Amino acid sequence: MKRLLLRKIPFYFFAIATGLLLLIIYHLNSIGSDARLEIQHAMIPAQNNSEKIEQIRLKEYQFTKPLLLTEVRSESGNLKDIKRALDFEINTQKSNGTITDASVYLRRLNSGEWTSVNSSSEYAPGSVIKIAAMITYLKMCEGKPDLLNREFLFQGKVKGTPNQTFNDDPLVAGRRYTAKDLLYRVIVNSDNDATLIINESLDLNLFRKFFTDIGIAEPNVRDRNFKMDVINLSKFMRILFNSTYLSSEHSEFALTLLSKSTFTKGIVDGLPKGIKIAHKFGETGTANEAQLHETAIVYYDDQPYLITIMTKGKEVHRLPEVLSDLSRIAYENLSGKKLSLLQSGK
């Protein structure tokens, strides 16, 4: 044993061992360096993002400031391909004369990543504003729960109430309806007569405050030319999804109504059959220019997203297909799945 321990080890064994040791040390140092770089790179965006985030909070209380919305100011680079596809489709529809203008806002609701096309363009919101009326009435109900069961008599169509292209189930003159029934018709059927009854019972100060609370300029309720852009219009759906303005119970009720909308010629047509969606459309315009808009939460698997589309064109009946095409492009890009006509809602 002693002789074995004293036996000389050839020089090349030392050379090999030394080389392996140096290689291992180099590799470990390399891994450590890469890890440090990853940490540094991960920290830089976090620092930058903190400067690009704005929080909208209620300011009416002394000690609490309830959070309503968190705004990431910069568009997501992960959605740039979708942005290009949506922009290309809008320009194509402009070129063929189907539309004169269109805007899109798209937001992944789990992550807050968003992108938009033509977000500075403004439109008359039309019936989409009925979401704000519903939210205001439900806010009133949180202080007086019996308001949902209040009954109203529909005496007949009021002169000057706008006619509707899309309404499957109008109110019947001489029949009484509860506020809950009317809200159903306001949202599900976009009924203008039901909306007029609800609007007449709204606390207008609370209605105006709702807009300013979520960072939108106070509306002039008498101004028929009141305009909004896709980013601000999308806030209605965001606060319902996050349940940050109404109670969870009333937010769920509102989105349940929105999920029953009978309008299926727009965003729904661009989605797979049977996919869950809460949405509201709005039509408005003049003899020379029609407008059709829609805002929707699409419950795709566990990755819900919000899409709002606002359009202008000469013929209202050509606009639903624009909503459908833009909806399909967004879904296909977000899901990675191509849709055939048989798979879509068409």
Side-chain angles (χ1 to χ4, degrees), residues 289-305:
E289 180 186 73
Q291 296 190 33
L292 184 66
H293 321 306
E294 193 169 8
T295 183
I297 296 174
V298 180
Y299 294 87
Y300 165 64
D301 290 346
D302 59 347
Q303 303 173 58
Y305 64 89

Side-chain angles (χ1 to χ4, degrees), residues 71-257:
E71 300 290 8
V72 180
R73 294 173 186 163
S74 300
E75 295 186 47
S76 171
N78 295 329
L79 301 178
K80 61 184 179 181
D81 290 340
I82 302 178
K83 181 184 178 80
R84 277 197 293 263
L86 293 169
D87 189 45
F88 179 82
E89 179 64 23
I90 288 174
N91 287 328
T92 300
Q93 297 282 9
K94 282 183 179 179
S95 296
N96 64 27
T98 302
I99 59 174
T100 55
D101 199 8
S103 302
V104 182
Y105 176 83
L106 184 67
R107 186 183 189 93
R108 282 177 166 153
L109 291 170
N110 286 346
S111 66
E113 293 178 293
W114 67 275
T115 192
S116 65
V117 179
N118 299 335
S119 61
S120 61
S121 294
E122 292 188 325
Y123 307 78
S127 292
V128 183
I129 207 73
K130 293 172 183 176
I131 301 176
M134 170 181 65
I135 290 172
T136 302
Y137 196 89
L138 291 175
K139 192 71 173 176
M140 292 165 56
C141 291
E142 293 188 350
K144 299 178 180 178
D146 290 343
L147 285 180
L148 267 182
N149 297 317
R150 180 184 174 187
E151 289 192 346
F152 298 86
L153 174 66
F154 177 56
Q155 297 178 330
K157 194 170 187 68
V158 175
K159 185 178 180 181
T161 304
N163 293 320
Q164 292 178 262
T165 305
F166 310 102
N167 186 7
D168 298 329
D169 186 20
L171 295 181
V172 177
R175 184 176 295 180
R176 301 186 74 84
Y177 298 89
T178 65
K180 193 172 184 178
D181 292 333
L182 292 171
L183 287 174
Y184 178 95
R185 291 170 178 273
V186 166
I187 299 302
V188 177
N189 301 332
S190 200
D191 190 293
N192 285 335
D193 296 317
T195 302
L196 183 60
I197 297 173
I198 289 294
N199 284 350
E200 287 178 344
S201 64
L202 285 184
D203 180 338
L204 292 182
N205 289 328
L206 186 60
F207 179 79
R208 296 186 188 97
K209 183 177 180 297
F210 165 61
F211 280 78
T212 57
D213 280 344
I214 61 175
I216 304 176
E218 180 180 304
N220 181 348
V221 294
R222 303 184 189 281
D223 183 8
R224 290 177 176 259
N225 296 316
F226 172 69
K227 291 180 173 60
M228 296 182 70
D229 60 48
V230 285
I231 293 178
N232 280 328
L233 194 66
S234 298
K235 290 178 179 179
F236 298 164
M237 300 296 274
R238 289 173 59 195
I239 64 161
L240 290 176
F241 181 82
N242 294 325
S243 189
T244 50
Y245 192 77
L246 298 174
S247 67
S248 297
E249 178 185 0
H250 284 137
S251 295
E252 183 74 9
F253 173 72
L255 286 171
T256 299
L257 293 185

